[in-house]
């Protein structure tokens, strides 16, 4: 087998010491040893307690409670962002989501995170070739090279807890080899334990939330992403469901052994490039395909794809959307979810009003039993988020997203969102929706969000279908719209 080397670098220390498993950097190297990582995380609640104590003194000196609390929130956010930006493991997952929403954050909060995020992206540790070989051998055996015609030692892509290499399988197929960092699983377990400790910081923003339950749900989601066997099964399920699909391509799983996952290589334009410089027509098309992939999923295979991050998508030369990384998937929908979706749609699209919203919020567990909240204020905050579904077509934009984020995260003590919570089972869906909406806003995707949702979730027609459509003959499928326009142009040219 041919092995492509990546320079002269060699592993210069024992593989038992994580500090020497990775290529060193002179700037921004994230801590990989548990003692360093834990010390940084442990400092968060201590610093928060110190800020709270200082706040008491500031109030005594005459500063208003609102001013002091806002100062505490801003400083806490800055500290959390800076620490998370220096960590690897599960912190990178949070960093992906926050990277999408960074543009929607207030400048005084976003700036320190923007710096920390750039450090996180620039300093992702790179496993040296010897370490990569040893990690693969630990899962596939010492004769692992016999499975490949070629293996490129150069990292092709970073994963949150490992890296991807390009290779040629023994039968000639181009493949992606995903390898977990040695000790990565133990590092994440340590991070999750610290996450439980610092989760009390969330109460400064959401005092009404069941922080413990949501934190455990997040821990479960992160832990499941370490299970490459489960990821392989999820990917096989998706690949079977979308075989020969005209819109999507799911690479086949070639092999999975231990902490190594081998799949078909996907060649295409990264979605990140479309976000940065794609033509608007392509941004619209790709954005609507992403929405279709998420909403059509569980009806075809019973799974929710919970990580629609730009790094997980490629636009193939034939126009299909290629999808990778199936670690964050959940069986979906849970019992009661369809009733929840229909109830909230009735509130916003069938004149349910504030009283209907209050009833739905209590019925589905988004406010603690017995907790009071301002119903009118909640409706005023949440109702504008439904705007994309009230028009035959709508364009998502970053300014639109910023308005929603600033309204719902307003640090004022009077913000009614502070009184709400979230059922733990809802965590993967919230992650999927928040990530998807962020990407659609980055793409500035224009399309018929309402029709696309109804196409795959017809049970919502009772609510969404009641909205008057100024163009009832318009096809649901945007591809049909483009084809119709192209045909009309061809006819005009023929006549001319």
């Amino acid at each position: 087998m041919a092995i492509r080397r990546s320079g002269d670098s060699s592993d210069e220390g024992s593989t038992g010491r994580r500090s020497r498993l990775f290529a060193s950097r002179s700037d921004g190297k994230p801590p990989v040893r548990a003692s360093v990582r834990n010390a940084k995380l442990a400092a968060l609640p201590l610093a928060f307690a110190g800020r709270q104590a200082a706040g008491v003194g500031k109030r005594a000196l005459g500063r208003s409670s609102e001013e002091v609390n806002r100062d505490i929130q801003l400083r806490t956010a800055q500290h959390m962002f800076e620490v998370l930006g220096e960590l690897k493991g599960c912190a990178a997952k949070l960093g992906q989501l926050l990277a999408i929403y960074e543009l929607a954050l207030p400048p005084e909060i976003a700036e320190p995170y923007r710096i920390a995020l750039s450090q996180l992206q620039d300093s992702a540790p790179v496993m040296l070739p010897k370490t990569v070989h040893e990690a693969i051998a630990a899962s596939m055996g010492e004769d692992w090279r016999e499975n490949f015609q070629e293996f490129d030692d150069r990292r092709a892509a970073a994963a949150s807890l490992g890296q991807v290499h390009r290779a040629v399988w023994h039968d000639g197929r181009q493949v992606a080899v995903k390898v977990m960092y040695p000790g990565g699983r133990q590092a994440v377990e340590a991070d999750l334990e610290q996450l439980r400790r610092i989760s009390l910081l969330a109460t400064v923003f959401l005092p009404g939330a069941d922080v413990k339950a949501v934190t455990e749900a997040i821990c479960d989601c992160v832990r499941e992403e370490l299970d490459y066997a489960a990821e392989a099964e999820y990917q096989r399920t998706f690949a079977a469901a979308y075989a020969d699909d005209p819109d999507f391509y799911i690479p086949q799983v070639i092999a999975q052994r231990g902490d190594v996952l081998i799949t078909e290589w996907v060649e295409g334009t990264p979605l990140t490039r479309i976000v940065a410089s794609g033509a608007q027509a392509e941004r619209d098309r790709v954005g609507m395909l992403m929405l279709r992939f998420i909403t059509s999923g569980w009806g075809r295979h019973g799974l929710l794809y919970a990580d629609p991050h730009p790094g997980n998508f490629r636009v193939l030369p034939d126009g299909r959307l290629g999808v990778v990384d199936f670690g964050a998937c959940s069986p979906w929908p849970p019992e009661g979810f369809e009733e929840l979706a229909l109830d909230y749609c009735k509130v916003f699209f069938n004149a349910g009003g504030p009283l209907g919203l209050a009833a739905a919020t209590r019925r589905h567990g988004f406010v603690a039993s017995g907790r009071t909240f301002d119903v009118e204020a909640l409706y005023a905050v949440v109702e504008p988020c439904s705007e994309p579904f009230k028009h035959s077509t709508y364009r998502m934009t970053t300014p639109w997203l910023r308005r929603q984020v600033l309204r719902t995260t307003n640090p004022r003590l009077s913000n009614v969102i502070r009184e709400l919570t979230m059922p733990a089972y809802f965590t993967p869906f919230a992650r999927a929706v928040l990530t998807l909406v962020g990407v659609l806003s980055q793409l500035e995707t224009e399309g018929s969000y309402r029709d696309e949702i109804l196409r795959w979730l017809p049970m919502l027609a009772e609510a969404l279908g009641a909205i008057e459509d100024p163009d009832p003959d318009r096809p649901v499928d945007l591809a049909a719209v483009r084809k119709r326009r192209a045909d009309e142009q061809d006819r005009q040219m023929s006549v001319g």
Side-chain angles (χ1 to χ4, degrees), residues 226-245:
L226 303 176
D227 187 345
Y228 281 11
E231 179 176 348
E233 284 305 308
Y234 289 143
Q235 186 161 341
R236 291 187 182 102
T237 300
F238 273 84
Y242 289 98
D244 301 320
D245 190 277

Side-chain angles (χ1 to χ4, degrees), residues 460-477:
L460 301 181
E462 179 182 348
L464 288 175
I467 305 173
E468 183 178 353
D469 191 335
D471 184 11
D473 296 326
R474 191 184 59 78
V476 171
D477 191 343

Side-chain angles (χ1 to χ4, degrees), residues 97-162:
L97 178 58
L98 291 177
I100 295 171
Y101 277 78
E102 175 262 319
L103 290 175
L105 293 174
E108 63 269 28
I109 293 180
E111 183 59 28
Y113 176 68
R114 186 183 297 116
I115 296 171
L117 177 66
S118 65
Q119 293 174 346
L120 171 65
Q121 293 172 329
D122 292 342
S123 62
V126 180
M127 279 192 284
L128 298 171
K130 181 180 178 182
T131 305
V132 173
H133 300 167
E134 291 174 347
I136 297 176
S139 291
M140 299 184 66
E142 295 297 331
D143 59 349
W144 65 272
R145 292 176 178 82
E146 297 178 5
N147 294 286
F148 300 93
Q149 291 182 12
E150 294 182 8
F151 184 91
D152 194 338
D153 282 340
R154 295 168 297 181
R155 182 180 71 173
S160 55
L161 281 166

Side-chain angles (χ1 to χ4, degrees), residues 240-259:
Y242 289 98
D244 301 320
D245 190 277
D247 293 325
F248 306 105
Y249 171 72
I250 312 300
Q252 296 288 334
V253 174
I254 306 300
Q256 181 277 317
R257 298 174 193 170
D259 292 336

Side-chain angles (χ1 to χ4, degrees), residues 74-281:
L74 295 179
R75 292 177 182 273
T76 299
Q78 179 176 346
H79 192 188
M80 290 179 69
F81 290 159
E82 288 174 346
V83 171
L84 289 172
E86 294 179 8
L87 297 175
K88 198 56 182 164
C90 58
K93 287 295 179 184
L94 179 60
Q96 288 178 346
L97 178 58
L98 291 177
I100 295 171
Y101 277 78
E102 175 262 319
L103 290 175
L105 293 174
E108 63 269 28
I109 293 180
E111 183 59 28
Y113 176 68
R114 186 183 297 116
I115 296 171
L117 177 66
S118 65
Q119 293 174 346
L120 171 65
Q121 293 172 329
D122 292 342
S123 62
V126 180
M127 279 192 284
L128 298 171
K130 181 180 178 182
T131 305
V132 173
H133 300 167
E134 291 174 347
I136 297 176
S139 291
M140 299 184 66
E142 295 297 331
D143 59 349
W144 65 272
R145 292 176 178 82
E146 297 178 5
N147 294 286
F148 300 93
Q149 291 182 12
E150 294 182 8
F151 184 91
D152 194 338
D153 282 340
R154 295 168 297 181
R155 182 180 71 173
S160 55
L161 281 166
Q163 58 193 46
V164 178
H165 291 258
R166 190 167 187 171
V168 179
W169 196 238
H170 58 78
D171 61 5
R173 282 181 289 180
Q174 297 285 327
V175 296
V177 184
K178 183 178 178 180
V179 186
M180 189 183 298
Y181 292 144
R185 186 172 285 100
Q186 295 85 343
V188 166
E189 286 296 337
D191 282 356
L192 294 180
E193 183 57 36
Q194 292 292 350
L195 177 62
R196 293 185 180 94
R197 296 178 185 177
I198 69 171
S199 61
L200 63 91
L201 295 178
T203 59
V204 73
F205 301 104
L206 298 168
D210 185 352
V211 172
K212 182 177 180 181
V214 174
T215 299
E216 287 303 319
I218 293 172
C219 290
D220 289 342
C221 290
V222 173
R223 190 178 295 109
E224 288 169 3
E225 293 187 50
L226 303 176
D227 187 345
Y228 281 11
E231 179 176 348
E233 284 305 308
Y234 289 143
Q235 186 161 341
R236 291 187 182 102
T237 300
F238 273 84
Y242 289 98
D244 301 320
D245 190 277
D247 293 325
F248 306 105
Y249 171 72
I250 312 300
Q252 296 288 334
V253 174
I254 306 300
Q256 181 277 317
R257 298 174 193 170
D259 292 336
V260 176
L261 176 60
I262 303 167
T263 63
E264 291 177 326
W265 182 265
V266 180
E267 196 69 62
T269 303
L271 182 58
T272 51
R273 191 178 305 168
I274 304 296
V275 169
S277 59
Q280 190 57 55

